[in-house]
Amino acid sequence: MNFGKTKAVVVTGIDGLVVDVEVSVGQGLPKVVISGLPDTAVSQAPNRLRSAMTQSELTFPDTRLTINLAPASEQKSGAGLDLAMAVAILAATRSLDPADVARVGHIGELGMDGSVREVRGVLPACVAALAGNVRELLVPAANAAEASLVSGIRVHPVRSLSDVVAFHRVRAQGKTLDLPWPEPGEEAEPEETGDLRDVVGQYEARAAIEVAAAGGHNVSMIGPPGAGKTLLASRLPSILPPLSREEALVVTSVQSVLGKVDGQALKERAPFVAPHHSITMPALVGGGTGRPRPGAITEAHAGVLFLDEAPEFKRPVLDALRQPLERGFVTITRAQQSVRFPSRFQLVVASNPCPCGRYTGSGAGCSCATRARREYLKRLSGPLLDRIDVHLQVPAVTRADLASGPGESSEEVAARVREVRERSARRWAPLGLALNAEVPGSILRSSPWSLTPADTATLDAALDTGNLTLRGYDRTLRLAWTLCDLRGADKPTKDDVYAALTLREGQQAA
């Protein structure tokens, strides 16, 4: 009985799993048996393998083949195992040196003509391979630049099964075959985030957006059409600091799984994701039929999720955000697997004051029925709104605003945001936290971080009267710490607490 083995990597969620692809060539009628929880794409691989090997002038065994994908208890999905199964078969039939192929990982889908096609999720696959002590990978040429983002792994780009065979046969002779790298494509255009200076007027809203950026707080904006709500939200990423190396790796891994990697470098800018209000729940939070895929909230990880015309979203879809907002991740559970996606993002929701959008000031221009106005904003549930720290009233732009000239640029505001974030990161580093918005309320209410009763008197009164929940109480404290950091002070005062409560209640004093 002949035996061959090599390495592969499958991606579940945005995490990779190193797989031992084992092939046993035995006696019996021609048949291919694949074990190890393969999905449909993996189970159909023999059809692709037979044709690809024939077209590459290689012999596909006309006998019984048993292919095992270990660990057998984990679900295997996708066509990225094709190349590894073909190489293991060639090792089992001694067309390739078994000892050589056992040390190398292989990722790629085989075309029936023997070509090696690109696959999604190569970046997280390479990260998992490195963690699994795989130091050398053969990957599709189209994925080579992406794979090279992971330092510590030697990447070999292949275009066909014939390239793979030639590579290993030269290696068996003690030499190295340097496969040609693809021509570098055009560099991706820098992500356009615009400038905060583009916002006309809205100085209170601009200040509130700066507070939200500095502390990582969620924002709700209510105002008439054309007031600048969408513009404010889209400029938020321009004042956020660049992603850390760890964040960039996660964000780019998500892009890789979604098939959206468009450059040869890790993402540096915080992502900005703005789904249409017709989005479904699986598209927003992740999941779908078959292999679970990341949703918009995972695509917005370490960045901004903007929901424009928020009341137009289906209420169950909006309420699905409640748990990810608290935990920073979402878990998608299936019968045979459970997948966790990161989803720590800043939520920004924008709403009109009524269906027609004109219920501002005296409301004289509004054509909506009283009941319609009352019911419109109620589409946003109380528990969801309770998880939003900053509530803004964004008025219509006036002629005086046009005459006042532009405000500060994103560069100027970003410098202050960066200082505040560095300050808060130093303070919370012993707790393993970085942003004020991440600090548990139990910590802020205990020594040495607790405030004096005099400083929290306004907050305590709102809690006593039921105007504020305990969650809202804690979120207001976090907001107060951010306001304190913006002033450069060591600890919030009653003025910071009052200002935080004012921001939370939509610029209406308690």
Side-chain angles (χ1 to χ4, degrees):
M1 182 181 293
N2 294 326
F3 177 80
K5 177 181 178 180
T6 191
K7 300 283 187 180
V9 187
V10 294
V11 176
T12 302
I14 64 165
D15 297 317
L17 172 69
V18 177
V19 176
D20 289 323
V21 180
E22 304 167 330
V23 172
S24 172
V25 180
Q27 297 181 349
L29 295 174
K31 185 177 182 181
V32 179
V33 178
I34 302 179
S35 61
L37 294 181
D39 73 348
T40 302
V42 179
S43 298
Q44 293 175 345
N47 300 324
R48 299 188 293 273
L49 299 184
R50 186 184 298 273
S51 177
M53 292 174 70
T54 300
Q55 294 297 323
S56 303
E57 300 181 353
L58 300 166
T59 302
F60 190 88
D62 193 19
T63 182
R64 182 182 178 88
L65 286 179
T66 302
I67 303 176
N68 183 53
L69 308 174
S73 60
E74 298 288 342
Q75 186 81 29
K76 317 299 187 310
S77 59
L81 291 169
D82 285 3
L83 186 58
M85 287 191 279
V87 169
I89 291 172
L90 293 171
T93 58
R94 299 303 185 262
S95 296
L96 295 178
D97 180 12
D100 178 47
V101 304
R103 299 191 300 267
V104 183
H106 301 81
I107 300 173
E109 175 185 347
L110 284 177
M112 297 190 74
D113 60 352
S115 60
V116 179
R117 296 173 176 168
E118 65 179 310
V119 295
R120 294 182 177 183
V122 165
L123 179 60
C126 291
V127 172
L130 183 63
N133 204 32
V134 178
R135 293 292 183 268
E136 210 166 1
L137 277 176
L138 274 69
V139 303
N143 294 123
E146 180 183 340
S148 66
L149 294 176
V150 180
S151 58
I153 286 187
R154 188 176 182 186
V155 175
H156 302 281
V158 294
R159 294 164 177 79
S160 66
L161 185 56
S162 297
D163 283 351
V164 178
V165 172
F167 175 85
H168 285 296
R169 286 179 175 172
V170 169
R171 283 270 293 256
Q173 300 171 8
K175 303 176 183 178
T176 300
L177 177 62
D178 292 324
L179 296 168
W181 277 71
E183 291 294 326
E186 294 184 4
E187 287 292 328
E189 292 293 328
E191 297 176 36
E192 185 61 45
T193 58
D195 198 292
L196 198 59
R197 183 174 287 174
D198 300 333
V199 179
V200 176
Q202 306 299 1
Y203 296 106
E204 290 182 348
R206 285 168 53 99
I209 288 293
E210 178 180 344
V211 173
H217 305 286
N218 303 320
V219 181
S220 170
M221 294 183 285
I222 299 178
K229 303 185 297 296
T230 300
L231 196 59
L232 280 164
S234 65
R235 297 309 184 254
L236 178 54
S238 71
I239 61 175
L240 294 176
L243 299 176
S244 66
R245 169 76 183 184
E246 181 180 354
E247 289 172 334
L249 195 58
V250 174
V251 168
T252 312
S253 293
V254 172
Q255 297 288 314
S256 175
V257 171
L258 293 173
K260 295 183 178 181
V261 174
D262 56 1
Q264 302 178 24
L266 294 176
K267 299 291 183 181
E268 295 182 351
R269 281 279 183 188
F272 179 78
V273 181
H276 189 262
H277 61 74
S278 62
I279 191 170
T280 62
M281 191 177 299
L284 182 67
V285 301
T289 58
R291 178 171 52 176
R293 285 170 51 82
I297 64 174
T298 298
E299 191 176 354
H301 177 73
V304 178
L305 177 69
F306 176 50
L307 305 183
D308 199 9
E309 307 291 350
E312 301 297 337
F313 285 74
K314 295 179 181 178
R315 184 161 178 168
V317 173
L318 290 175
D319 285 342
L321 295 172
R322 286 150 55 176
Q323 190 177 57
L325 283 172
E326 291 289 337
R327 297 187 175 183
F329 64 88
V330 62
T331 302
I332 308 297
T333 303
R334 294 287 185 267
Q336 294 182 334
Q337 64 180 155
S338 183
V339 178
R340 175 183 289 193
F341 293 117
S343 57
R344 190 169 296 283
F345 55 89
Q346 276 187 260
L347 175 65
V348 180
V349 300
S351 311
N352 290 327
C354 65
C356 77
R358 298 181 179 179
Y359 189 64
T360 58
S362 64
C366 179
S367 60
C368 302
T370 302
R371 181 173 181 179
R373 290 199 299 266
R374 186 169 58 247
E375 296 296 327
Y376 185 67
L377 292 179
K378 285 188 177 180
R379 297 179 188 178
L380 304 180
S381 69
L384 176 62
L385 292 175
D386 202 32
R387 289 166 167 82
I388 295 177
D389 305 337
V390 178
H391 294 259
L392 298 177
Q393 299 291 335
V394 183
V397 177
T398 65
R399 191 168 60 177
D401 293 327
L402 288 173
S404 63
E408 289 182 296
S409 67
S410 289
E411 184 179 1
E412 295 172 284
V413 178
R416 293 197 296 270
V417 169
R418 184 170 57 252
E419 290 178 5
V420 169
R421 289 203 170 200
E422 290 172 353
R423 181 186 182 90
S424 62
R426 289 193 298 270
R427 178 172 59 243
W428 306 123
L431 303 176
L433 303 170
L435 296 174
N436 290 326
E438 298 174 351
V439 183
S442 57
I443 291 180
L444 295 180
R445 288 182 272 107
S446 60
S447 180
W449 310 112
S450 59
L451 306 183
T452 66
D455 290 334
T456 61
T458 305
L459 208 54
D460 295 335
L463 184 65
D464 290 340
T465 58
N467 291 329
L468 199 64
T469 64
L470 181 57
R471 178 189 288 115
Y473 187 102
D474 291 339
R475 285 184 172 275
T476 306
L477 285 178
R478 297 169 185 167
L479 201 52
W481 275 97
T482 300
L483 293 169
C484 163
D485 286 335
L486 281 166
R487 292 191 300 106
D490 293 329
K491 205 167 188 179
T493 64
K494 64 179 181 180
D495 291 335
D496 293 318
V497 174
Y498 183 81
L501 190 57
T502 300
L503 281 173
R504 181 169 179 82
E505 294 187 345
Q507 298 180 347
Q508 294 177 3

